[in-house]
Amino acid sequence: MKKKTGRRSLVTLTTAALALSLLAGCGGNNNSGNSANGANSGTDGNKDTAAATDSTTSTAAPAETGIDTSKKVELQFYMLGDAPKDLPVIQDEINKMAQEELNATVKFNYTSWTDWDQKYKLLLSSGQAIDLIFTADWTQYQSYAKRGAFLAIDDLLPKAAPELQKFVPESMWEDVKVDGKIYTVPATYKEYVTNGFVYREDLRKKYDLPVPKDLASYEAYMDGIVKNEPDMMPMSLNSDIGNNLHYIYTELNKMIGALPYGMGVKYESPTTVYSYWGSDEQKEELKTMKRWADKGFIPKNVLNIKDTMQDPMTSGKAASMFGDNPTRYNDMKMKISTTHPEWELAYSPFGLTTGYATPVHPIHNGFAIPKSSKNPERALAFYEKLVLDKRYNQLTQYGIEGKNYTVEDGYYKLVGTSTSNGFSREGMNGWAWRNPEFMLFDKGFDGVKAIFDELDKIQKPDLFLGFAEDYSSYQAEKAALEQVEKQYLFPLEAGLVEDIDKGLETFMQKAKQAGLEKIQTEWTKQWNAYVAEKGIK
């Protein structure tokens, strides 16, 4: 799960030229990869999930794996985010088992959340030897797979991870295919990562503020915070304005995903494509953000803030988040309960306002074998252990029982506090290898399950994540437009431009000079072809 928002982006595909350049950068081995964000969780382990096989506690000897394990290897495993403090201890325990059973050890590497996307791109283009790397829709899994960054694992699965192949439903294997090939192992845990308002309920009660359920009530809540808690940020923000303001705003307005190039498509009318940029709808968004900035909701230095979105909430510096997903909300709530039990956190899912919610697509959390891998068979065999062997799975998800956590009345309980404990729940960001049969939940997660139950009643399928853009005909224009967005659009979206009309006029002029109209025309053709092919109306 991602440390930013729970939003899901529509994936882009690259040109043959880009594919060749990436292959050259990866050293011409076999297939390399890319991935990157997010924290997620879902329904209870017995509902709409894949059942674990009888091999879930297997400790099979190397000879039973079907692969050659005669040579000892060290696997390079790359994760997004920040490593837990007790990672060396967990890694040592995992390696004791892996060395005996697979004649392998593993090195868990982390990108940190600071500029993770740039680091991720570098990992996949440098040719550095990597055996496993996180993938997701928001890390452009389809795009990287399309251009040859990952190794196709169709032929490897029955040899190196036959039980894992059986464990993942066939429909999920089909859903993650790119050009007919499998490049990632999908997570089987059902969850929602759609956004919702996160807010300090104790402060809401104390000052008799409205429950945030839509833009108007959320703004009124922040008004109350500014009035009564002037030293507290009314909402947590950082420099990623696109994800943490713009796309959350458009999700509330029923936009499909995180559409690029200012394109507008609503879930309820997917065949109608329009330009959001320059529209009255966008002007209303910019006016809202300008008003919020004038009221002090958005700090003037927001484009320079590099903190995570969650830290200000757990430290008490911020009173709300414009949007986050139910699982990350629960993570924050659990941390706060150990450090400030007098604080109370609450959540209002957007789905109850918009009228629908989409469960995550199978590509939302996964792991791929990059083309640069020197040990693809061993890597896949090890990943099978992470998913299907309870010892590996729970050790990497929860830490050491008795030291990092206990299980009381069937519930997970953190030992100590979130600051004193070196390995919190899912401390390795191992969302992709969650196994519903082994998952442990804290008592507070009952509230998240209740949210999921509510969203189940209004769920609609994600019909659009299969769209794969090919920007080969406008690659140069795309790069130029990205620079225009950074210079002229982001300040507008952060409410930092005094004259909205003039600022928007300047941005649109610069965007058109960069090739916006060509981009939007070609993108629209591809979108229309996609919905026609899929029979979406």
Side-chain angles (χ1 to χ4, degrees):
M1 135 191 209
K2 196 170 179 180
K3 283 289 181 182
K4 293 179 176 180
T5 70
R7 66 98 174 169
R8 286 168 286 175
S9 61
L10 296 174
V11 187
T12 60
L13 297 185
T14 60
T15 67
L18 283 177
L20 290 174
S21 66
L22 180 63
L23 294 180
C26 291
N29 289 339
N30 297 325
N31 256 359
S32 95
N34 146 300
S35 256
N37 148 158
N40 314 321
S41 291
T43 56
D44 76 42
N46 299 316
K47 185 177 179 183
D48 293 321
T49 53
T53 67
D54 290 340
S55 65
T56 52
T57 56
S58 167
T59 56
E64 297 175 341
T65 64
I67 61 175
D68 180 7
T69 60
S70 59
K71 178 183 176 182
K72 181 180 178 182
V73 300
E74 181 180 67
L75 303 173
Q76 296 297 322
F77 196 112
Y78 271 83
M79 308 286 295
L80 294 187
D82 303 300
K85 185 173 63 176
D86 279 358
L87 177 64
V89 178
I90 303 303
Q91 182 171 286
D92 286 347
E93 292 299 312
I94 288 293
N95 283 339
K96 290 176 185 177
M97 297 186 291
Q99 182 165 334
E100 179 180 351
E101 297 161 13
L102 293 172
N103 197 23
T105 57
V106 60
K107 176 73 168 61
F108 293 106
N109 304 282
Y110 283 77
T111 62
S112 84
W113 286 119
T114 303
D115 298 324
W116 64 264
D117 49 348
Q118 296 302 316
K119 296 172 183 174
Y120 191 79
K121 291 175 185 177
L122 182 60
L123 285 171
L124 291 174
S125 62
S126 66
Q128 180 176 339
I130 301 170
D131 295 298
L132 287 161
I133 193 164
F134 179 78
T135 63
D137 50 316
W138 46 268
T139 66
Q140 299 186 25
Y141 157 69
Q142 288 157 298
S143 177
Y144 280 101
K146 180 74 174 180
R147 70 214 228 193
F150 304 129
L151 184 69
I153 60 174
D154 306 69
D155 296 333
L156 277 179
L157 279 166
K159 181 179 181 182
E163 297 305 320
L164 181 61
Q165 184 179 28
K166 296 174 188 175
F167 176 76
V168 177
E170 184 60 33
S171 62
M172 290 189 173
W173 289 123
E174 286 296 321
D175 284 341
V176 301
K177 284 184 177 180
V178 175
D179 291 341
K181 293 290 186 179
I182 298 170
Y183 294 96
T184 192
V185 179
T188 62
Y189 175 57
K190 181 184 177 183
E191 60 181 332
Y192 291 88
V193 295
T194 46
N195 279 301
F197 298 104
V198 181
Y199 57 95
R200 285 279 298 275
E201 172 69 356
D202 56 315
L203 298 179
R204 189 197 69 78
K205 291 177 180 176
K206 180 178 180 180
Y207 301 119
D208 192 26
L209 304 177
V211 174
K213 291 186 176 180
D214 52 26
L215 286 173
S217 56
Y218 182 50
E219 183 168 337
Y221 172 86
M222 290 193 290
D223 279 333
I225 296 299
V226 169
K227 177 182 177 181
N228 295 287
E229 298 284 347
D231 295 329
M232 180 179 281
M233 294 186 294
M235 67 173 163
S236 178
L237 282 174
N238 61 23
S239 61
D240 193 359
I241 291 301
N243 283 320
N244 300 327
L245 277 178
H246 168 64
Y247 286 127
I248 295 177
Y249 180 96
T250 57
E251 182 177 332
L252 265 176
N253 285 280
K254 303 184 181 182
M255 197 77 80
I256 290 174
L259 299 178
Y261 321 128
M263 303 308 305
V265 183
K266 296 295 180 68
Y267 190 95
E268 295 167 339
S269 53
T271 60
T272 301
V273 184
Y274 64 99
S275 178
Y276 180 81
W277 286 347
S279 68
D280 290 341
E281 193 177 4
Q282 187 197 23
K283 287 182 181 179
E284 185 59 37
E285 175 193 347
L286 300 180
K287 288 177 182 177
T288 299
M289 296 309 154
K290 179 65 168 64
R291 185 172 66 251
W292 286 9
D294 290 344
K295 287 184 173 185
F297 302 167
I298 303 173
K300 295 187 182 301
N301 69 333
V302 65
L303 296 178
N304 296 317
I305 296 175
K306 298 299 182 183
D307 295 337
T308 70
M309 294 289 288
Q310 291 74 30
D311 286 347
M313 289 295 298
T314 57
S315 65
K317 295 178 181 178
S320 73
M321 286 179 63
F322 189 14
D324 209 344
N325 67 58
T327 299
R328 236 178 355 241
Y329 149 69
N330 186 69
D331 291 342
M332 289 184 281
K333 185 176 182 180
M334 186 170 64
K335 288 180 180 179
I336 286 174
S337 71
T338 65
T339 55
H340 293 278
E342 72 278 12
W343 296 353
E344 186 178 356
L345 214 58
Y347 187 83
S348 294
F350 288 178
L352 300 184
T353 300
T354 62
Y356 70 92
T358 55
V360 296
H361 191 279
I363 69 171
H364 188 70
N365 288 313
F367 263 87
I369 300 174
K371 181 185 175 185
S372 60
S373 172
K374 295 182 178 179
N375 311 288
E377 291 184 347
R378 209 84 61 94
L380 199 54
F382 175 75
Y383 196 75
E384 180 179 73
K385 291 283 188 183
L386 279 184
V387 177
L388 295 181
D389 191 311
K390 187 174 182 178
R391 301 165 304 153
Y392 287 73
N393 186 275
Q394 291 196 333
L395 183 61
T396 53
Q397 295 288 15
Y398 313 112
I400 298 173
E401 186 171 5
K403 176 184 177 182
N404 300 116
Y405 73 98
T406 58
V407 179
E408 300 178 12
D409 298 324
Y411 287 105
Y412 166 96
K413 185 176 182 180
L414 185 75
V415 173
T417 69
S418 58
T419 53
S420 66
N421 194 309
F423 198 99
S424 58
R425 184 179 180 276
E426 296 189 342
M428 286 181 64
N429 301 341
W431 322 295
W433 66 84
R434 290 172 174 146
N435 185 326
E437 294 297 316
F438 304 150
M439 291 180 74
L440 301 174
F441 299 95
D442 63 282
K443 193 170 183 61
F445 203 85
D446 287 348
V448 176
K449 292 180 181 179
I451 293 172
F452 287 167
D453 287 343
E454 286 297 305
L455 297 181
D456 276 343
K457 298 174 184 176
I458 56 173
Q459 67 176 303
K460 292 185 179 182
D462 187 339
L463 303 174
F464 312 103
L465 208 56
F467 174 66
E469 173 199 1
D470 178 358
Y471 53 77
S472 58
S473 64
Y474 50 88
Q475 180 181 343
E477 290 86 353
K478 178 180 183 294
L481 183 60
E482 289 173 353
Q483 295 306 311
V484 171
E485 288 182 66
K486 291 178 183 178
Q487 185 173 353
Y488 297 99
L489 180 61
F490 291 176
L492 273 169
E493 291 180 336
L496 303 178
V497 177
E498 196 63 36
D499 189 330
I500 294 174
D501 290 334
K502 184 177 180 180
L504 182 55
E505 180 182 354
T506 300
F507 165 67
M508 291 301 295
Q509 180 184 15
K510 298 292 185 181
K512 289 177 181 178
Q513 290 173 357
L516 175 63
E517 292 174 343
K518 176 182 178 180
I519 293 172
Q520 290 186 332
T521 298
E522 293 301 316
W523 189 93
T524 301
K525 288 179 182 177
Q526 294 180 42
W527 179 264
N528 288 337
Y530 171 77
V531 295
E533 177 189 355
K534 297 295 183 181
I536 299 171
K537 299 180 180 179

